[in-house]
Amino acid sequence: MKTNYQIRRELDGKVEVIHTETQKRKIESYFNGLRRNFKKGGVWVNDVRIGYFVLPDLNAEYWICKA
């Protein structure tokens, strides 16, 4: 059985799954694109570590995890 990777978001205390993939490379690519689009849109992105970032202005957190 393949490992499922997920991108999750916590916004206003609710955690929800944004995207699911079975390939780690694809999930990392989607995650980096999401981060890049926030930066291009003028939202301040705080990179905490690899696979985890925070949007302080919107009070949201995004991270990659195994399902």
Side-chain angles (χ1 to χ4, degrees):
M1 187 171 167
K2 287 189 172 188
T3 303
N4 286 325
Y5 296 96
Q6 295 179 337
I7 296 176
R8 293 188 181 187
R9 169 178 66 187
E10 181 177 353
L11 182 64
D12 297 329
K14 295 182 198 174
V15 177
E16 56 189 356
V17 176
I18 301 299
H19 191 73
T20 303
E21 285 285 344
T22 56
Q23 294 181 345
K24 189 174 182 180
R25 180 174 287 174
K26 285 185 180 179
I27 201 77
E28 288 172 344
S29 175
Y30 188 90
F31 184 78
N32 290 332
L34 187 65
R35 193 174 123 272
R36 205 172 23 247
N37 284 335
F38 278 121
K39 283 187 174 182
K40 283 182 184 177
V43 178
W44 185 54
V45 177
N46 184 10
D47 295 317
V48 178
R49 65 177 193 278
I50 295 173
Y52 185 84
F53 69 86
V54 177
L55 305 174
D57 296 340
L58 303 176
N59 200 20
E61 301 176 13
Y62 289 81
W63 68 92
I64 298 174
C65 64
K66 289 184 181 180

Coordinates of all heavy atoms in Angstrom, one line a residue:
M1 N 0.8 -1.2 0.0 CA 0.0 0.0 0.0 C 0.9 1.3 0.0 O 1.8 1.4 0.8 CB -0.9 0.0 1.2 CG -1.9 1.1 1.3 SD -3.0 0.8 2.6 CE -3.8 2.3 2.7
K2 N 0.6 2.2 -0.9 CA 1.4 3.4 -1.0 C 1.0 4.4 0.1 O -0.1 4.4 0.6 CB 1.1 4.1 -2.3 CG 1.7 3.4 -3.5 CD 1.6 4.3 -4.7 CE 2.4 3.7 -5.8 NZ 2.5 4.6 -7.0
T3 N 2.0 5.2 0.5 CA 1.8 6.2 1.5 C 1.1 7.4 0.9 O 1.5 7.8 -0.2 CB 3.2 6.7 2.1 OG1 3.9 5.5 2.6 CG2 3.0 7.7 3.2
N4 N 0.1 7.9 1.6 CA -0.6 9.1 1.1 C 0.0 10.3 1.9 O 0.2 10.3 3.1 CB -2.1 9.0 1.4 CG -2.8 8.1 0.5 OD1 -2.4 8.0 -0.7 ND2 -3.8 7.4 0.9
Y5 N 0.3 11.4 1.1 CA 0.8 12.6 1.7 C -0.3 13.6 1.6 O -1.1 13.6 0.6 CB 2.0 13.1 1.0 CG 3.2 12.2 1.1 CD1 3.5 11.2 0.2 CD2 4.0 12.2 2.3 CE1 4.6 10.4 0.3 CE2 5.1 11.4 2.4 CZ 5.4 10.5 1.4 OH 6.4 9.6 1.5
Q6 N -0.5 14.5 2.6 CA -1.5 15.5 2.5 C -1.0 16.9 2.9 O 0.0 17.0 3.6 CB -2.6 15.2 3.6 CG -3.4 14.0 3.3 CD -4.4 13.7 4.4 OE1 -4.3 14.2 5.5 NE2 -5.4 12.9 4.0
I7 N -1.6 17.9 2.3 CA -1.4 19.3 2.7 C -2.6 19.7 3.5 O -3.7 19.6 3.1 CB -1.2 20.2 1.5 CG1 0.0 19.8 0.7 CG2 -1.1 21.7 2.0 CD1 0.2 20.7 -0.6
R8 N -2.3 20.1 4.7 CA -3.3 20.5 5.6 C -3.2 22.0 6.0 O -2.1 22.6 6.0 CB -3.3 19.7 6.9 CG -3.6 18.3 6.7 CD -3.7 17.5 7.9 NE -4.0 16.1 7.6 CZ -4.3 15.2 8.6 NH1 -4.4 15.6 9.8 NH2 -4.6 14.0 8.2
R9 N -4.4 22.6 6.3 CA -4.4 24.0 6.7 C -5.2 24.1 8.0 O -6.3 23.5 8.1 CB -5.1 24.8 5.6 CG -5.5 26.2 6.0 CD -6.1 27.0 4.9 NE -7.5 26.4 4.6 CZ -8.2 26.8 3.6 NH1 -7.8 27.7 2.8 NH2 -9.4 26.3 3.4
E10 N -4.7 24.9 8.9 CA -5.4 25.3 10.1 C -5.8 26.8 10.0 O -4.9 27.6 9.8 CB -4.6 25.1 11.3 CG -5.4 25.4 12.6 CD -4.6 25.1 13.9 OE1 -3.5 24.6 13.8 OE2 -5.1 25.5 14.9
L11 N -7.1 27.0 10.0 CA -7.6 28.4 9.8 C -8.7 28.5 10.8 O -9.7 27.7 10.8 CB -8.1 28.6 8.4 CG -8.6 30.0 8.1 CD1 -7.5 31.0 8.2 CD2 -9.2 30.0 6.7
D12 N -8.6 29.5 11.7 CA -9.6 29.7 12.8 C -9.9 28.5 13.6 O -11.0 28.2 14.0 CB -10.9 30.2 12.2 CG -10.8 31.5 11.5 OD1 -9.9 32.3 11.9 OD2 -11.5 31.8 10.5
G13 N -8.8 27.7 13.9 CA -9.0 26.5 14.8 C -9.5 25.3 14.1 O -9.5 24.2 14.7
K14 N -9.8 25.4 12.8 CA -10.3 24.2 12.0 C -9.2 23.7 11.2 O -8.5 24.5 10.4 CB -11.5 24.6 11.2 CG -12.7 25.0 11.9 CD -13.8 25.3 10.9 CE -14.9 26.1 11.5 NZ -15.9 26.5 10.4
V15 N -8.9 22.4 11.2 CA -7.9 21.8 10.4 C -8.6 21.1 9.2 O -9.6 20.3 9.4 CB -7.1 20.7 11.2 CG1 -6.1 20.0 10.3 CG2 -6.4 21.4 12.3
E16 N -8.2 21.3 8.0 CA -8.8 20.7 6.8 C -7.7 20.3 5.8 O -6.6 20.9 5.8 CB -9.8 21.6 6.2 CG -9.3 23.0 5.7 CD -10.4 23.9 5.3 OE1 -11.5 23.5 5.2 OE2 -10.0 25.0 5.0
V17 N -8.0 19.3 5.1 CA -7.1 18.7 4.1 C -7.3 19.5 2.8 O -8.4 19.6 2.3 CB -7.3 17.2 3.8 CG1 -6.5 16.7 2.7 CG2 -7.1 16.4 5.1
I18 N -6.2 20.1 2.2 CA -6.2 20.9 1.0 C -6.0 20.0 -0.2 O -6.7 20.1 -1.2 CB -5.2 22.0 1.1 CG1 -5.4 22.9 2.2 CG2 -5.2 22.8 -0.2 CD1 -6.7 23.6 2.2
H19 N -5.0 19.1 -0.1 CA -4.6 18.3 -1.3 C -4.0 17.0 -0.8 O -3.4 16.9 0.2 CB -3.6 19.1 -2.1 CG -3.3 18.5 -3.4 ND1 -4.2 18.5 -4.5 CD2 -2.3 17.8 -3.9 CE1 -3.7 17.9 -5.5 NE2 -2.5 17.5 -5.2
T20 N -4.3 15.9 -1.6 CA -3.7 14.6 -1.2 C -3.0 14.0 -2.5 O -3.6 14.1 -3.6 CB -4.8 13.6 -0.8 OG1 -5.5 14.2 0.4 CG2 -4.3 12.3 -0.4
E21 N -1.9 13.4 -2.3 CA -1.1 12.7 -3.3 C -0.4 11.5 -2.8 O -0.2 11.4 -1.6 CB 0.0 13.6 -3.9 CG -0.4 14.7 -4.8 CD -0.8 14.3 -6.2 OE1 -0.4 13.2 -6.6 OE2 -1.5 15.1 -6.8
T22 N 0.0 10.6 -3.7 CA 0.7 9.4 -3.2 C 2.2 9.6 -3.5 O 3.0 8.9 -2.9 CB 0.3 8.1 -4.0 OG1 0.3 8.3 -5.4 CG2 -1.2 7.8 -3.6
Q23 N 2.6 10.5 -4.3 CA 4.0 10.8 -4.6 C 4.5 12.0 -3.9 O 3.9 13.1 -3.9 CB 4.2 11.0 -6.1 CG 4.0 9.7 -6.9 CD 4.2 9.9 -8.4 OE1 4.3 11.1 -8.8 NE2 4.3 8.8 -9.1
K24 N 5.6 11.9 -3.1 CA 6.1 12.9 -2.3 C 6.5 14.1 -3.2 O 6.3 15.3 -2.8 CB 7.3 12.4 -1.5 CG 7.7 13.4 -0.5 CD 8.8 12.8 0.4 CE 9.2 13.8 1.5 NZ 10.3 13.3 2.3
R25 N 7.1 13.9 -4.3 CA 7.6 14.9 -5.2 C 6.4 15.8 -5.7 O 6.5 17.0 -5.7 CB 8.3 14.4 -6.4 CG 8.8 15.4 -7.3 CD 9.6 14.8 -8.4 NE 10.9 14.4 -7.9 CZ 11.8 13.8 -8.5 NH1 11.6 13.4 -9.8 NH2 13.0 13.5 -7.9
K26 N 5.3 15.2 -6.0 CA 4.1 16.0 -6.5 C 3.5 16.8 -5.4 O 3.1 18.0 -5.6 CB 3.1 15.0 -7.0 CG 3.4 14.5 -8.4 CD 2.3 13.7 -8.9 CE 2.6 13.2 -10.3 NZ 1.5 12.4 -10.9
I27 N 3.5 16.3 -4.1 CA 2.9 17.0 -3.0 C 3.8 18.2 -2.7 O 3.3 19.3 -2.4 CB 2.6 16.1 -1.8 CG1 1.6 16.8 -0.9 CG2 3.8 15.8 -1.0 CD1 0.2 16.7 -1.4
E28 N 5.1 18.0 -2.7 CA 6.1 19.1 -2.5 C 6.0 20.2 -3.5 O 6.0 21.4 -3.2 CB 7.5 18.6 -2.4 CG 7.7 17.8 -1.1 CD 9.1 17.1 -1.1 OE1 9.7 17.0 -2.2 OE2 9.5 16.7 0.0
S29 N 5.8 19.8 -4.8 CA 5.6 20.8 -5.9 C 4.4 21.6 -5.7 O 4.4 22.8 -5.8 CB 5.6 20.0 -7.2 OG 5.4 20.9 -8.2
Y30 N 3.3 21.0 -5.3 CA 2.0 21.7 -5.1 C 2.1 22.6 -3.9 O 1.7 23.7 -4.0 CB 0.9 20.6 -4.9 CG -0.5 21.2 -4.8 CD1 -1.3 21.4 -5.9 CD2 -1.0 21.6 -3.6 CE1 -2.5 21.9 -5.9 CE2 -2.3 22.2 -3.5 CZ -3.0 22.3 -4.6 OH -4.3 22.9 -4.6
F31 N 2.8 22.1 -2.9 CA 3.0 22.9 -1.6 C 3.8 24.2 -1.9 O 3.5 25.3 -1.5 CB 3.7 22.1 -0.6 CG 3.8 22.7 0.7 CD1 2.8 22.9 1.6 CD2 5.1 23.2 1.1 CE1 2.9 23.5 2.9 CE2 5.2 23.8 2.4 CZ 4.2 23.9 3.2
N32 N 4.9 24.0 -2.7 CA 5.8 25.1 -3.0 C 5.1 26.1 -3.9 O 5.3 27.3 -3.8 CB 7.1 24.7 -3.6 CG 8.0 24.0 -2.6 OD1 7.9 24.3 -1.4 ND2 8.8 23.0 -3.1
G33 N 4.2 25.6 -4.8 CA 3.5 26.5 -5.7 C 2.4 27.3 -4.9 O 2.2 28.5 -5.2
L34 N 1.8 26.7 -3.9 CA 0.9 27.4 -3.0 C 1.6 28.5 -2.3 O 1.1 29.6 -2.2 CB 0.3 26.4 -2.1 CG -0.8 26.8 -1.2 CD1 -2.1 27.1 -2.0 CD2 -1.1 25.6 -0.2
R35 N 2.8 28.2 -1.8 CA 3.5 29.2 -1.0 C 4.0 30.3 -1.9 O 3.9 31.5 -1.6 CB 4.8 28.5 -0.4 CG 5.5 29.3 0.6 CD 6.7 28.4 1.1 NE 7.9 29.0 0.9 CZ 8.7 28.9 -0.1 NH1 8.4 28.2 -1.1 NH2 9.8 29.6 -0.2
R36 N 4.4 30.0 -3.1 CA 4.8 31.0 -4.1 C 3.7 31.9 -4.5 O 3.9 33.1 -4.6 CB 5.4 30.3 -5.3 CG 6.4 31.0 -6.1 CD 7.1 30.2 -7.2 NE 6.4 29.0 -7.7 CZ 6.8 27.8 -7.5 NH1 7.9 27.5 -6.8 NH2 6.1 26.8 -7.9
N37 N 2.5 31.4 -4.7 CA 1.3 32.2 -5.1 C 0.9 33.1 -4.0 O 0.5 34.2 -4.3 CB 0.2 31.3 -5.5 CG 0.3 30.7 -6.8 OD1 1.1 31.2 -7.7 ND2 -0.3 29.5 -7.1
F38 N 1.0 32.7 -2.7 CA 0.7 33.6 -1.6 C 1.7 34.8 -1.6 O 1.3 35.9 -1.5 CB 0.8 32.9 -0.3 CG -0.5 32.2 0.1 CD1 -0.4 30.8 0.4 CD2 -1.7 32.8 0.2 CE1 -1.6 30.1 0.7 CE2 -2.8 32.2 0.5 CZ -2.8 30.8 0.8
K39 N 3.0 34.5 -1.9 CA 4.0 35.6 -1.9 C 3.8 36.5 -3.1 O 3.9 37.7 -2.9 CB 5.4 34.9 -2.0 CG 5.9 34.4 -0.7 CD 7.4 34.0 -0.9 CE 8.0 33.5 0.4 NZ 9.4 33.2 0.3
K40 N 3.4 36.0 -4.2 CA 3.1 36.8 -5.4 C 1.9 37.7 -5.2 O 1.8 38.8 -5.7 CB 2.9 36.0 -6.6 CG 4.2 35.4 -7.3 CD 3.8 34.7 -8.5 CE 5.1 34.0 -9.1 NZ 4.7 33.2 -10.3
G41 N 1.0 37.2 -4.4 CA -0.3 37.9 -4.1 C -0.1 39.0 -3.0 O -1.0 39.7 -2.7
G42 N 1.1 39.1 -2.5 CA 1.4 40.2 -1.5 C 1.1 39.8 -0.1 O 1.1 40.6 0.8
V43 N 0.9 38.5 0.2 CA 0.7 38.0 1.5 C 2.0 37.6 2.1 O 2.9 37.0 1.5 CB -0.2 36.8 1.5 CG1 -0.4 36.2 2.9 CG2 -1.6 37.1 0.9
W44 N 2.3 38.1 3.4 CA 3.6 37.8 4.0 C 3.6 36.3 4.4 O 2.7 35.8 5.1 CB 3.8 38.7 5.2 CG 5.1 38.5 5.8 CD1 6.3 38.6 5.2 CD2 5.4 38.2 7.2 NE1 7.3 38.4 6.1 CE2 6.8 38.1 7.4 CE3 4.6 38.0 8.3 CZ2 7.4 37.9 8.6 CZ3 5.1 37.8 9.5 CH2 6.5 37.7 9.6
V45 N 4.6 35.6 4.0 CA 4.7 34.1 4.3 C 5.9 33.9 5.2 O 7.0 34.4 4.9 CB 4.9 33.3 3.0 CG1 5.2 31.8 3.3 CG2 3.8 33.5 2.1
N46 N 5.7 33.3 6.4 CA 6.8 33.0 7.3 C 7.1 31.5 7.2 O 6.3 30.7 7.6 CB 6.3 33.3 8.7 CG 7.4 33.1 9.8 OD1 8.5 32.9 9.5 ND2 7.0 33.2 11.0
D47 N 8.3 31.2 6.6 CA 8.7 29.8 6.5 C 9.3 29.3 7.8 O 10.3 29.8 8.3 CB 9.8 29.7 5.4 CG 9.3 30.0 4.0 OD1 8.1 29.6 3.7 OD2 9.9 30.7 3.3
V48 N 8.6 28.4 8.5 CA 9.0 27.9 9.8 C 10.1 26.8 9.6 O 11.1 26.8 10.2 CB 7.8 27.4 10.6 CG1 8.2 26.8 11.9 CG2 6.8 28.5 10.8
R49 N 9.8 25.9 8.7 CA 10.7 24.8 8.4 C 10.3 24.2 7.0 O 9.3 24.6 6.4 CB 10.8 23.7 9.5 CG 9.5 23.0 9.6 CD 9.6 21.9 10.7 NE 8.6 20.9 10.7 CZ 7.4 21.1 11.3 NH1 7.1 22.2 11.9 NH2 6.4 20.2 11.2
I50 N 11.0 23.2 6.6 CA 10.7 22.6 5.3 C 9.3 21.9 5.5 O 9.1 21.1 6.4 CB 11.7 21.6 4.8 CG1 13.0 22.3 4.6 CG2 11.3 20.8 3.6 CD1 14.2 21.4 4.3
G51 N 8.4 22.2 4.6 CA 7.1 21.6 4.6 C 6.1 22.2 5.6 O 5.1 21.6 6.0
Y52 N 6.4 23.4 6.1 CA 5.5 24.1 7.0 C 5.7 25.6 6.9 O 6.8 26.1 7.0 CB 5.9 23.7 8.4 CG 5.0 24.2 9.5 CD1 3.8 23.6 9.9 CD2 5.3 25.3 10.3 CE1 3.0 24.0 10.9 CE2 4.5 25.8 11.2 CZ 3.3 25.2 11.5 OH 2.5 25.7 12.5
F53 N 4.6 26.3 6.7 CA 4.7 27.8 6.6 C 3.4 28.4 7.3 O 2.4 27.7 7.4 CB 4.9 28.4 5.2 CG 3.8 28.2 4.3 CD1 2.8 29.1 4.2 CD2 3.8 27.2 3.4 CE1 1.7 29.0 3.3 CE2 2.8 27.0 2.4 CZ 1.7 28.0 2.4
V54 N 3.6 29.6 7.7 CA 2.5 30.3 8.4 C 2.2 31.6 7.7 O 3.1 32.3 7.2 CB 3.0 30.7 9.9 CG1 1.9 31.4 10.6 CG2 3.3 29.4 10.6
L55 N 1.0 32.0 7.6 CA 0.5 33.3 7.1 C 0.0 34.1 8.3 O -1.1 34.0 8.7 CB -0.6 33.1 6.1 CG -0.3 32.1 4.9 CD1 -1.6 32.0 4.1 CD2 0.8 32.7 4.1
P56 N 0.9 34.9 8.9 CA 0.5 35.7 10.1 C -0.6 36.7 9.8 O -1.4 36.9 10.7 CB 1.8 36.4 10.5 CG 2.9 35.8 9.7 CD 2.3 35.1 8.5
D57 N -0.7 37.3 8.6 CA -1.7 38.2 8.4 C -3.1 37.6 8.3 O -4.1 38.2 8.7 CB -1.5 39.0 7.0 CG -0.2 39.8 7.1 OD1 0.3 40.1 8.2 OD2 0.3 40.1 6.0
L58 N -3.2 36.4 7.8 CA -4.4 35.6 7.7 C -4.7 34.7 8.9 O -5.7 34.0 8.9 CB -4.5 34.9 6.4 CG -4.3 35.7 5.1 CD1 -4.3 34.8 3.9 CD2 -5.4 36.7 5.0
N59 N -3.7 34.5 9.8 CA -3.8 33.6 10.9 C -4.0 32.2 10.4 O -4.9 31.5 10.9 CB -4.8 34.1 11.9 CG -4.6 33.5 13.3 OD1 -3.5 33.0 13.6 ND2 -5.7 33.5 14.1
A60 N -3.2 31.7 9.5 CA -3.3 30.4 8.9 C -2.0 29.7 8.9 O -0.9 30.3 8.8 CB -3.9 30.5 7.5
E61 N -2.1 28.4 9.0 CA -0.9 27.5 9.0 C -1.1 26.4 7.9 O -2.2 25.9 7.8 CB -0.6 26.8 10.3 CG -0.4 27.8 11.4 CD -0.3 27.1 12.8 OE1 -0.1 25.8 12.8 OE2 -0.4 27.8 13.8
Y62 N 0.0 26.1 7.1 CA 0.0 25.1 6.1 C 1.1 24.1 6.4 O 2.2 24.6 6.7 CB 0.1 25.7 4.7 CG -1.1 26.5 4.2 CD1 -1.3 27.8 4.6 CD2 -2.0 25.9 3.4 CE1 -2.4 28.5 4.2 CE2 -3.1 26.6 2.9 CZ -3.3 27.9 3.4 OH -4.4 28.6 2.9
W63 N 0.9 22.8 6.2 CA 2.0 21.9 6.4 C 1.7 20.6 5.6 O 0.6 20.3 5.2 CB 2.2 21.6 7.9 CG 1.1 20.8 8.5 CD1 1.0 19.5 8.7 CD2 -0.1 21.4 9.2 NE1 -0.2 19.2 9.4 CE2 -0.9 20.3 9.7 CE3 -0.5 22.7 9.4 CZ2 -2.1 20.5 10.3 CZ3 -1.7 22.9 10.0 CH2 -2.5 21.8 10.5
I64 N 2.8 19.8 5.4 CA 2.7 18.5 4.7 C 2.8 17.5 5.8 O 3.6 17.6 6.7 CB 3.9 18.4 3.7 CG1 3.8 19.4 2.6 CG2 3.9 16.9 3.1 CD1 5.0 19.4 1.7
C65 N 2.0 16.4 5.7 CA 2.0 15.3 6.6 C 1.6 14.0 5.9 O 1.1 14.0 4.8 CB 1.1 15.6 7.8 SG -0.6 15.7 7.4
K66 N 1.9 12.9 6.5 CA 1.5 11.6 6.0 C 0.1 11.3 6.5 O -0.2 11.6 7.7 CB 2.4 10.5 6.5 CG 3.8 10.5 5.8 CD 4.6 9.4 6.3 CE 6.0 9.4 5.7 NZ 6.8 8.3 6.1
A67 N -0.7 10.7 5.7 CA -2.1 10.4 6.1 C -2.1 9.0 6.6 O -1.4 8.1 6.3 CB -3.0 10.5 4.9

